[in-house]
Amino acid sequence: MTLEQREEDLRMTIHSLALTPLISLIAGVLILVMPRLLNYIVALYLIAVGLLGLFPHLAG
């Protein structure tokens, strides 16, 4: 693996790691504001985190 490939992998990891807490924060605020949406918010969060884990290039 070349140095350029390692740097690109590191950038992708940082982007997906930065996106996950943002998604969590938004989900938490929505749950506090509208508790009835809890099931949908949790489901969307799990789908988003799962997609980011499977396809890290989607994060940016």
Side-chain angles (χ1 to χ4, degrees), residues 2-4 7 12 14 17-18 20 22-27 36 38 40-41 43 47 54-55 57:
T2 66
L3 182 60
E4 290 177 3
E7 288 177 356
M12 280 196 240
I14 291 171
L17 288 177
T20 304
L22 181 62
I23 293 171
S24 299
L25 182 64
I26 292 170
R36 289 180 165 219
L38 177 63
Y40 296 108
I41 292 170
I47 290 169
L54 289 173
F55 307 105
H57 62 277

Side-chain angles (χ1 to χ4, degrees), residues 4-58:
E4 290 177 3
Q5 289 173 333
R6 286 184 183 174
E7 288 177 356
E8 184 176 334
D9 288 345
L10 181 61
R11 273 187 258 132
M12 280 196 240
T13 303
I14 291 171
H15 286 298
S16 65
L17 288 177
L19 193 57
T20 304
L22 181 62
I23 293 171
S24 299
L25 182 64
I26 292 170
V29 169
L30 287 174
I31 290 169
L32 284 174
V33 173
M34 297 177 267
R36 289 180 165 219
L37 292 178
L38 177 63
N39 292 336
Y40 296 108
I41 292 170
V42 171
L44 289 173
Y45 172 78
L46 292 173
I47 290 169
V49 171
L51 287 174
L52 286 176
L54 289 173
F55 307 105
H57 62 277
L58 292 177

